[in-house]
Amino acid sequence: MRSDAVKKGLDKAPARSLLRADGLDDSDFDKPFIAIANSWNEVVPGHIHLNEIVEAVKEGIIEAGGKPFVFGVPAVCDGIAMGHKGMRYSLISREVISDACEVMVEGHAFDGWVGVSNCDKVTPGMLMAMGRMNVPGLIVTGGAMEVGKHGEKSLDLQSVFEAVGSYSAGKIDENELRMIECAACPGKGSCSGLFTANTMACLTETLGLSLTGCATALADDNKKLAIARETGRRIVELAKKDIKPRDIVSKESFFNAIRVDMAIGGSTNTALHLPAISKDFGCPVTLDDFDRISRDTPHITSLRPGGPYSIKDLDLAGGIPAVLNILKDSIIDVPTGNGKTMGQIAAEGVVKDPEVLRSKDNPFHKEGGIAVLRGNIAPEGSVIKQSAVSPKMMKFSGRARVFECEKDAADAITSGDIVPGDAVIIRYEGPKGAPGMPEMLSPTSLIMGRGLGESVALITDGRFSGASRGGAIGHVSPEAYAGGPIAAVKDGDIIDIDIPARTLNVRLSDEEIKQRMAEVKIIERPVTGVQKKYRKLVTSGANGAYLE
């Protein structure tokens, strides 16, 4: 066992002495040592209940003959960080979490580990660490919260952001805004739609690194604790058999994950996370893989933000096994951490609600959730959640309204300065330029809330929340800070978007763009601390904002 490095032999007496101070005795030194990375905190609603899940994992580990050890990792709530400088730390936290897991697991020679996670950057960070270390591991995601209710209307965090836009447009009053604010997020768990946290939970289960049913079991559902307990038992078995993450996850596993992502209409943030995770597993996937798979994968459910359903609806309809069953002809049969293959799980999946989960012959959209657009603004690529775009916006030409930061754009939208036919450009918000590639849920929600969702586009080298919808194109690469041609766009230029054709262009010749780029003065925002390190190491959004 790996942990023999700290517990076996006379020369390990000092390490054993310290472990005895933790409460271990002689019998414990013959057991597999299993770490639990716990992102519990009292800040993020998706994490306030994780200690309960950790206790269930510990019970399973002990029952299977292992010795559990718990350590903490940070987590940023994107909703709380949204719209101020805190959002520049969100994507950065993915790397911090990944490093923290590696430091603790490798530093103490654990035989295996379980990541207890939930929200947007925590699950990807833990998955990156799994691929990098290749120590037996599994993930338990904490589950979604219940849907909020205001009368007969279902609510979630997206509802609150859009209500701010409706209030600024005079469509609702302050009392209505407050009622929505107070009702939208009723308790523990990740936000209830198919936003980034829940999308990544679904893809973790598809990768075979969460047990079946984990992704869609709600935070307050007792089956979440049962899954956590079984995960504890299972990780001891994996550690004893030395079955590592790279024995489970291959490039084909990532193709399965992308296919499920396209079928359920997941967050555009997966186009950052899956490429980064796959690099750490040694089998990189690219935006080209996303676009290729999206073109022949039907969108078979319609969850928030693009549709009416929530994660609870997906769970009741059969969860990820049911999705896999619908897609079984195109799912590659690979191993999982369950002890069953992906093909077996797909064959056993049952669709319990054929309206929430439609057949491939009757999809909500013929293509998958994400489209990758390229053109003279985004030669390396950009992404849009096409399943959350109005048919009226699938082809769009508009007048560029250029902003050098998110706040200026949000202020212009709120004041009514953005009108139908505008293409809002927000630049210098990319991985290096911001730095940290902040999400733009505030401006996208303001656009929707003001009733401009079918007449205004938003294009940025930053990224979007999983709750964003409408004609919102992100991850424009190269970013402005790195000399990308988005830096050449000026107010009044005509922007052409053609999602079916996968193109994004400004009506300028190559020579005009070249001349303008020669005159561009890159905006340099001063940075210190972790942002300074990140800016030096981070790569393009088209590369998953991976650190080299």
Side-chain angles (χ1 to χ4, degrees), residues 88-165:
R88 295 179 184 175
Y89 288 89
S90 173
L91 188 57
I92 292 175
S93 76
R94 183 186 75 179
E95 320 305 318
V96 174
I97 291 158
S98 180
D99 290 349
C101 291
E102 180 183 357
V103 165
M104 291 298 291
V105 173
E106 294 286 18
H108 301 97
F110 287 113
D111 299 307
W113 68 293
V114 175
V116 177
S117 169
N118 214 13
C119 288
D120 300 39
K121 310 307 168 299
V122 186
T123 303
M126 290 183 177
L127 288 170
M128 290 168 71
M130 279 197 179
R132 190 185 313 151
M133 292 188 292
N134 203 31
V135 173
L138 292 170
I139 299 282
V140 181
T141 48
M145 67 173 68
E146 287 280 355
V147 173
K149 289 290 184 180
H150 178 37
E152 295 298 314
K153 187 177 182 180
S154 295
L155 302 174
D156 53 33
L157 182 67
Q158 174 191 349
S159 309
V160 189
F161 276 96
E162 293 186 4
V164 174

Side-chain angles (χ1 to χ4, degrees), residues 525-538:
R525 295 190 178 112
V527 292
T528 59
V530 67
Q531 289 188 346
K532 187 174 183 180
K533 298 174 190 175
Y534 187 83
R535 175 175 279 175
K536 286 184 178 180
L537 297 174
V538 72

Side-chain angles (χ1 to χ4, degrees), residues 290-301:
F290 276 76
D291 198 53
R292 171 180 58 81
I293 293 172
S294 181
R295 287 177 184 272
D296 65 6
T297 304
H299 178 223
I300 59 173
T301 189

Side-chain angles (χ1 to χ4, degrees), residues 72 127 131 317 329 354 384 501:
L127 288 170
D329 292 343
I384 186 167

Side-chain angles (χ1 to χ4, degrees), residues 21-43:
D22 290 336
L24 277 68
D25 60 24
D26 285 349
S27 65
D28 291 318
F29 294 119
D30 292 325
K31 300 173 182 175
F33 281 9
I34 307 296
I36 303 173
N38 181 11
S39 60
W40 171 88
N41 60 70
E42 294 182 336
V43 181

Side-chain angles (χ1 to χ4, degrees), residues 239-290:
K240 287 179 177 178
K241 294 180 178 179
D242 197 29
I243 298 175
K244 303 180 180 72
R246 290 192 182 197
D247 298 325
I248 297 168
V249 176
S250 62
K251 195 160 195 171
E252 288 73 21
S253 305
F254 283 102
F255 291 159
N256 285 340
I258 294 171
R259 192 168 298 281
V260 167
D261 187 17
M262 298 304 104
I264 62 177
S267 166
T268 54
N269 280 312
T270 61
L272 288 173
H273 297 323
L274 286 181
I277 296 163
S278 66
K279 286 177 184 292
D280 274 329
F281 271 87
C283 48
V285 296
T286 68
L287 288 183
D288 289 335
D289 294 313
F290 276 76

Side-chain angles (χ1 to χ4, degrees), residues 208 212 234 333-345 348:
T212 300
R234 181 67 181 153
D333 195 18
V334 292
T336 76
N338 288 267
K340 295 181 178 180
T341 70
M342 191 58 62
Q344 289 173 312
I345 295 168
E348 293 170 3

